[in-house]
Amino acid sequence: MNKKARYSQREQRPNRLLTNALAIVAVMIPIATYLILSATPVASEWEDESPGALATSIPFSRETIGPGPTHLPRITNVQIVDYDGDGLKDVITCDAQTHRVVGYRRTSEGRWQEQVLGEDLLVPAHTTVVDLDQDGDFDVIVSILGNIFPDDTRVGRVVWLENDNGKFHAKVLLDNVRRVADAQAGDLDGDGDLDIAVAVFGYARGRVLWLENRGDNRFEEHHLLDAVGAIHVPLADYDGDGDLDIATVATQDEEEVWGLENLGQGKFQPRLLHFNINYDIGIGGLVKCDLDSDGDSDLLLPVGDNFEDRFSFPKPYDGCFWLENQGGWKFNARRIATFPGTFAAAAGDLDADGDQDVVLGSTFNEWEQAGSPSLVWLENDGHQNFQSQLQSIGERPTHLATVDCGDLDGDGRDDIVAGGLHVPRPYDRLGRVTAWISGSSDPRNSDATDKVSENQP
């Protein structure tokens, strides 16, 4: 071996040692990070109140609303609301598989009548029922995602389904934006008409904006906040000063909850309300409620988005937080549930005792834990001390990405509606739109398995 070759070998030896050391560090850092973050809740302290699940203390009868799962259901939103103004609660669904918004009315015989409210809506993500043109009937504002999968192209829209004597006509209010996940209506500038707050989810780029109602079906766009992965924009007077503010959540990377304080005359001030140091906590949405019945608006924060994982597993930080409004734009984060794959949350009085309980839906892929619940509820004792155990409502359907509560049968108890968003496998225990009627037991609440072929996409 010549001198030059020997020198080259000696030069490369420390480089190999350095490369091997860097490789070990590269492997160990993610493992150590996961172990640390698994034990780290959020930026505020909390106590875990619900480590497991028990059989529910309330009987529920399960009903399928609309057609059964003849294909892979992809329901992105369900709401219990009286959209036809007859004084009875209806159900509105966004169907990302058929690209329709569909309403369901419950007849006196307990059957469900279907009405297609809007068609050719490319992946509808959310609806808001409101009298937008203030003509005395309820219209529907639809948030158009455009693509259910990650996409940063301008495929999003906001569409107004104008009610004309029970028939709905589509009008585009916002176009040429990235994926839109939510649009909520309210008088944001105090001029007496209804404006619209919009959550542009996008993918790597997202934002929050508001559409100023200029009359004659014209809306002017105003930028509010850069918020990657903005899902919801619930409106409320969060600071109690008499005008409507906006809350939103950025779910990509930062995992932050923001408030947009209404300063009047169309001006808003962003305020960071809550953040997580764990970028993988997977916030699934933001739900307005008054969980402690003190007259102000709190927020529910479901965490546990498993749609990003091909093979999901229960993570110790999945569950739900209650952001209690303490006034002065201070929100105290309190963990009220640990529940794998928590994606959806809703508040309602399920046991008719006068306080707000909480319902959670899971998208956890239970490959090795068949028998785990996909829908649970947390009983409020009237002092916001939730039961030490989750109460299981059902194990099927799975992949419940959207839930809502409301009294469907008029018995004074809130019932539950949930939608199945079956994107990842497994494809057993399918469900499209399902209702659980509280306070009664019915043979239809059996655990019959619904399946489609594993060859479906």
Side-chain angles (χ1 to χ4, degrees):
M1 184 180 292
N2 60 38
K3 184 176 180 180
K4 184 176 182 181
R6 288 196 302 271
Y7 176 79
S8 178
Q9 250 185 4
R10 288 196 300 269
E11 184 183 49
Q12 291 175 13
R13 188 175 298 117
N15 289 340
R16 290 195 190 98
L17 292 174
L18 179 61
T19 301
N20 291 338
L22 289 174
I24 292 171
V25 170
V27 171
M28 292 303 298
I29 284 178
I31 295 174
T33 302
Y34 172 77
L35 293 175
I36 293 171
L37 291 180
S38 296
T40 304
V42 289
S44 58
E45 295 182 356
W46 47 263
E47 292 182 359
D48 183 4
E49 294 198 0
S50 46
L54 296 174
T56 180
S57 59
I58 300 176
F60 287 90
S61 63
R62 193 181 70 196
E63 300 181 7
T64 296
I65 298 179
T70 56
H71 53 261
L72 288 181
R74 289 181 177 173
I75 302 299
T76 53
N77 185 244
V78 295
Q79 290 186 51
I80 297 176
V81 61
D82 178 16
Y83 75 86
D84 56 6
D86 65 355
L88 303 175
K89 295 293 186 182
D90 312 305
V91 175
I92 287 187
T93 68
C94 291
D95 192 328
Q97 188 74 20
T98 62
H99 308 298
R100 303 187 306 171
V101 172
V102 181
Y104 294 96
R105 300 185 182 94
R106 201 166 195 257
T107 68
S108 57
E109 294 82 18
R111 299 182 181 276
W112 293 96
Q113 293 180 339
E114 179 179 285
Q115 180 185 10
V116 177
L117 307 182
E119 297 183 281
D120 301 319
L121 303 169
L122 188 58
V123 189
H126 193 274
T127 59
T128 296
V129 175
V130 65
D131 186 5
L132 185 62
D133 51 6
Q134 299 178 315
D135 64 351
D137 54 25
F138 288 121
D139 311 301
V140 182
I141 301 172
V142 186
S143 309
I144 302 297
L145 206 59
N147 191 347
I148 203 167
F149 297 105
D151 192 341
D152 243 352
T153 59
R154 297 180 178 273
V155 293
R157 283 180 161 190
V158 175
V159 174
W160 170 28
L161 299 180
E162 182 183 7
N163 191 340
D164 180 15
N165 293 320
K167 296 182 179 180
F168 293 83
H169 306 285
K171 297 182 179 180
V172 177
L173 302 182
L174 179 67
D175 202 358
N176 195 34
V177 294
R178 294 179 176 87
R179 297 190 300 167
V180 176
D182 190 17
Q184 301 281 338
D187 185 5
L188 295 173
D189 52 6
D191 63 355
D193 56 23
L194 295 180
D195 313 297
I196 303 173
V198 181
V200 180
F201 186 98
Y203 177 53
R205 291 170 287 182
R207 60 191 177 119
V208 176
L209 56 91
W210 73 286
L211 303 178
E212 180 183 1
N213 192 336
R214 308 291 289 179
D216 297 323
N217 301 333
R218 294 181 300 111
F219 288 81
E220 181 179 351
E221 177 183 337
H222 301 279
H223 178 80
L224 288 175
L225 180 72
D226 290 324
V228 181
I231 296 184
H232 294 142
V233 279
L235 306 182
D237 183 8
Y238 292 105
D239 54 5
D241 65 353
D243 53 25
L244 281 179
D245 310 299
I246 305 169
T248 193
V249 56
T251 64
Q252 300 282 73
D253 294 331
E254 287 81 4
E255 307 277 2
E256 298 170 337
V257 179
W258 287 85
L260 295 161
E261 180 184 2
N262 194 335
L263 303 178
Q265 299 180 339
K267 305 296 182 182
F268 293 84
Q269 177 181 343
R271 292 179 175 273
L272 182 61
L273 306 181
H274 178 74
F275 71 96
N276 289 276
I277 62 173
N278 182 352
Y279 287 1
D280 292 324
I281 201 166
I283 296 175
L286 190 64
V287 181
K288 179 181 68 175
C289 64
D290 184 7
L291 206 57
D292 50 6
S293 302
D294 63 353
D296 57 22
S297 293
D298 309 313
L299 297 165
L300 285 177
L301 192 68
V303 296
D305 176 4
N306 280 283
F307 282 120
E308 297 178 357
D309 300 327
R310 172 66 174 168
F311 299 100
S312 64
F313 52 90
K315 298 185 286 291
Y317 42 76
D318 287 0
C320 185
F321 296 91
W322 166 35
L323 304 187
E324 180 188 359
N325 190 341
Q326 297 183 316
W329 287 104
K330 293 182 173 62
F331 285 77
N332 179 51
R334 173 180 165 192
R335 186 181 185 94
I336 60 173
T338 296
F339 182 46
T342 303
F343 196 94
D349 188 3
L350 299 181
D351 49 8
D353 63 354
D355 53 36
Q356 293 289 291
D357 310 302
V358 176
V359 176
L360 303 177
S362 172
T363 59
F364 173 50
N365 300 336
E366 302 157 66
W367 290 92
E368 298 180 356
Q369 296 193 25
S372 298
S374 56
L375 188 70
V376 299
W377 74 289
L378 304 168
E379 183 179 352
N380 190 340
D381 70 349
H383 302 283
Q384 294 70 64
N385 297 312
F386 294 90
Q387 284 197 344
S388 60
Q389 301 284 340
L390 298 171
Q391 296 194 50
S392 173
I393 295 173
E395 302 169 9
R396 65 185 71 251
T398 58
H399 297 80
L400 300 182
T402 174
V403 300
D404 199 13
C405 295
D407 187 1
L408 290 171
D409 58 358
D411 67 349
R413 293 174 179 263
D414 279 346
D415 309 300
I416 304 166
V417 170
L421 186 59
H422 296 271
V423 177
R425 287 176 168 84
Y427 293 152
D428 65 342
R429 290 180 284 169
L430 294 177
R432 185 175 170 273
V433 183
T434 308
W436 286 263
I437 307 301
S438 66
S440 63
S441 183
D442 193 288
R444 286 174 291 183
N445 195 25
S446 66
D447 285 333
T449 300
D450 302 312
K451 293 184 179 180
V452 297
S453 171
E454 287 281 339
N455 296 322
Q456 292 204 32

